[in-house]
Amino acid sequence: MTKTTSKSGGRWAKSAEFYARALELMPGGVSSPVRSFKSVGLSPVFIKSGQGAYLTDVDANHYIDYVMSYGPLICGHAHPAVRAAVSKQIGRGSTFGCCSPLEVELAQIITTAFGSMEMIRFVNSGTEAAMSAIRLARGVTGRKAIIKMAGGYHGHMDAMLVSAGSGATTHGVPSSPGVLPRVAESTIVVPFNDLPAIEAALASQAGDVAAIIVEPIMGNIGVVLPRQDYLRTLRDLCHAAGALLIFDEVMTGFRVGYSGAQSLYGVMPDITCLGKIIGGGLPVGAYGGSAAIMNHVSPAGPIYQAGTLSGNPLAMAAGLATLRLLDPQEPYGQLELLGRRLADGLAAAAAAQGIPVTVARSGSMLTLFFTGSAPASATVGAAHTSAGAKSIISNYADALMCDTRDYARFFSAMLEQGIMLPPSQFEAWFISAAHTPDDIDMTIEKAGAAFVHCREAHL
Ligand SMILES: *Cc1c(COP(=O)(O)O)cnc(C)c1O
């Protein structure tokens, strides 16, 4: 677990010290699991500061950052406008337990951007947004079951911590101890991009499905795009069954375009979950929909949901400052160009070394999948093996076929060269408006060397 440090003679010495202390104080040494670098077999880097597209760690190593806090920082670290807004607000007080104008301003911008949301409720995280959206859907419909996608991530609430049996429709089995089977039982898991599975799941529930919840572009198994017309047909099937459609756009909202994946694909959900970018790097989530639906939420209606720090003025100020830097054209045009440049460059660099990869991308979120060899994992069924490495990744089972050892080699070689990638094959990379074409070209050049490293490991 200390490979990073031992291998490089003290280059990460201070990170190693903090990690040793952290391991004594926090489970796995972290506040959120993926930060541990466990899935790439290294020990984590501790960050001292971020500026624009760059990170500096406690040992003064510099990195071009593609984690970008897993999505919120579309304008880069420590953007001057966000800093100014938060500084100004903190001098006026950080929380009141009363209404503040900032909530109204942010709600106005978001509901204008998202036509499907007439009203919105602010919460403190994406987890809370999804949890509340599901309660709302159940409360409004008076129904119980929720259909989710295999590998779909909607935060760490009990009902959504259900693992997927790959392939067929499965009833929920908790994927974490501590989740009651009774709670997970009402969660039905289906593969993404599989309409017959949706039909079967709806039919199996005899009119008791409250909602289908989906990341319209999946982002938490790596980036997986919806097939042509998948979302539209999904919505039609959902509505025909009297269920509500929930788009979890915590990652994609204001990311794949100003008005999210719903506008990109022209499919409007009943309820939308947001987070990440709308908080500008501070903790914010939100859920919203039509006034008819949202007026069921307390105190307008009977469905209870509350929060001491919800609509927190500092977080609202950071979110407002961030959204005011965005409009429907920019930085999305620029991000599309940077995203394409990176994706094409990575694919070409991999091809030059004969490393089979596929790059899945929507705008400035992308994943480099190492499709070379199926992992020796018992959870991957034989039926999927023939789908094989070269095919486009269209669901969780496909993603699980990827070579995580190759990803780990690549990650390590990139880290050594000052490129910070997400420490897992199954995460999205994010480009910000602070990244330059030179950053992208430098990244592609370093990737070339990292692919050589992967190829040599195969010999
Ligand atoms: C990040 C994320 C969440 C959870 O948000 P937190 O703020 O980490 O609780 C939920 N859904 C999706 C799609 C996400 O990407």
Side-chain angles (χ1 to χ4, degrees):
M1 289 301 289
T2 52
K3 235 191 279 172
T4 312
T5 50
S6 58
K7 184 160 73 180
S8 303
R11 192 174 153 193
W12 283 282
K14 285 188 183 153
S15 276
E17 275 172 41
F18 276 110
Y19 187 46
R21 283 175 63 193
L23 280 170
E24 304 277 309
L25 298 166
M26 302 186 279
V30 295
S31 299
S32 193
V34 75
R35 292 179 204 169
S36 75
F37 285 24
K38 209 169 163 180
S39 66
V40 289
L42 298 174
S43 62
V45 170
F46 282 67
I47 300 302
K48 185 174 169 195
S49 64
Q51 188 66 58
Y54 313 117
L55 288 174
T56 303
D57 71 16
V58 290
D59 292 288
N61 299 301
H62 301 288
Y63 308 90
I64 303 176
D65 184 20
Y66 292 95
V67 178
M68 299 312 287
S69 189
Y70 292 94
L73 303 177
I74 192 165
C75 297
H77 295 277
H79 190 285
V82 178
R83 277 162 54 193
V86 173
S87 307
K88 182 170 148 198
Q89 185 55 41
I90 202 161
R92 297 172 168 182
S94 60
T95 179
F96 307 127
C98 288
C99 304
S100 89
L102 298 164
E103 297 158 66
V104 184
E105 301 294 349
L106 190 56
Q108 186 82 64
I109 291 180
I110 294 172
T111 55
T112 303
F114 283 73
S116 69
M117 284 193 272
E118 289 173 338
M119 299 180 91
I120 192 165
R121 168 61 63 84
F122 289 112
V123 291
N124 301 295
S125 67
T127 296
E128 269 188 72
M131 179 179 83
S132 309
I134 284 170
R135 182 183 304 143
L136 176 60
R138 284 176 166 152
V140 168
T141 59
R143 297 172 171 196
K144 195 169 64 194
I146 303 290
I147 297 175
K148 78 177 281 286
M149 305 298 150
Y153 185 65
H154 308 291
H156 61 84
M157 64 177 289
D158 281 10
M160 291 294 103
L161 279 185
V162 174
S163 72
S166 60
T169 301
T170 51
H171 265 278
V173 177
S175 60
S176 166
V179 175
L180 298 178
R182 192 159 46 79
V183 171
E185 226 168 62
S186 301
T187 305
I188 303 157
V189 180
V190 299
F192 188 61
N193 274 325
D194 185 342
L195 291 164
I198 294 283
E199 286 179 303
L202 287 167
S204 75
Q205 294 305 299
D208 198 28
V209 175
I212 301 177
I213 184 166
V214 60
E215 298 168 72
I217 296 167
M218 293 192 83
N220 288 282
I221 55 174
V223 174
V224 176
L225 304 175
R227 287 197 183 119
Q228 181 87 30
D229 286 333
Y230 171 72
L231 294 172
R232 190 178 307 278
T233 311
L234 178 72
R235 177 201 56 197
D236 294 345
L237 291 170
C238 182
H239 286 168
L244 298 177
L245 182 61
I246 304 173
F247 275 3
D248 183 343
E249 295 225 46
V250 170
M251 186 182 288
T252 53
F254 293 99
R255 166 59 64 181
V256 298
Y258 186 72
S259 305
Q262 53 193 261
S263 154
L264 210 57
Y265 289 93
V267 177
M268 296 301 141
D270 301 293
I271 302 173
T272 299
C273 303
L274 294 173
K276 297 193 170 123
I277 288 174
I278 65 162
L282 272 76
V284 180
Y287 62 106
S290 67
I293 288 177
M294 291 306 289
N295 275 323
H296 284 82
V297 177
S298 182
I303 298 172
Y304 195 70
Q305 185 271 303
T308 302
L309 293 176
S310 292
N312 174 261
L314 286 185
M316 296 290 107
L320 263 176
T322 297
L323 296 194
R324 283 176 176 151
L325 293 165
L326 313 174
D327 69 42
Q329 273 73 50
E330 292 301 337
Y332 300 101
Q334 171 200 343
L335 288 172
E336 170 64 23
L337 293 178
L338 292 174
R340 192 180 306 153
R341 190 181 186 109
L342 180 57
D344 290 351
L346 289 171
Q353 299 305 324
I355 307 286
V357 301
T358 187
V359 185
R361 180 179 73 87
S362 181
S364 57
M365 59 185 261
L366 63 101
T367 297
L368 171 68
F369 286 109
F370 285 81
T371 50
S373 58
S377 161
T379 60
V380 178
H384 295 289
T385 309
S386 60
K390 306 249 157 44
S391 68
I392 302 296
I393 310 286
S394 67
N395 60 33
Y396 188 39
D398 291 348
L400 287 176
M401 303 275 302
C402 288
D403 192 331
T404 55
R405 289 159 308 174
D406 253 352
Y407 186 82
R409 288 181 196 112
F410 182 79
F411 172 88
S412 173
M414 292 299 268
L415 190 74
E416 299 257 5
Q417 300 179 91
I419 311 289
M420 182 65 76
L421 302 177
S424 161
Q425 168 72 90
F426 308 111
E427 300 284 352
W429 308 13
F430 297 98
I431 301 168
S432 77
H435 287 75
T436 64
D438 281 351
D439 292 329
I440 302 295
D441 292 346
M442 166 100 74
T443 304
I444 294 165
E445 190 189 311
K446 308 279 189 202
F451 286 127
V452 170
H453 178 69
C454 293
R455 181 171 53 78
E456 284 168 353
H458 292 170
L459 298 176

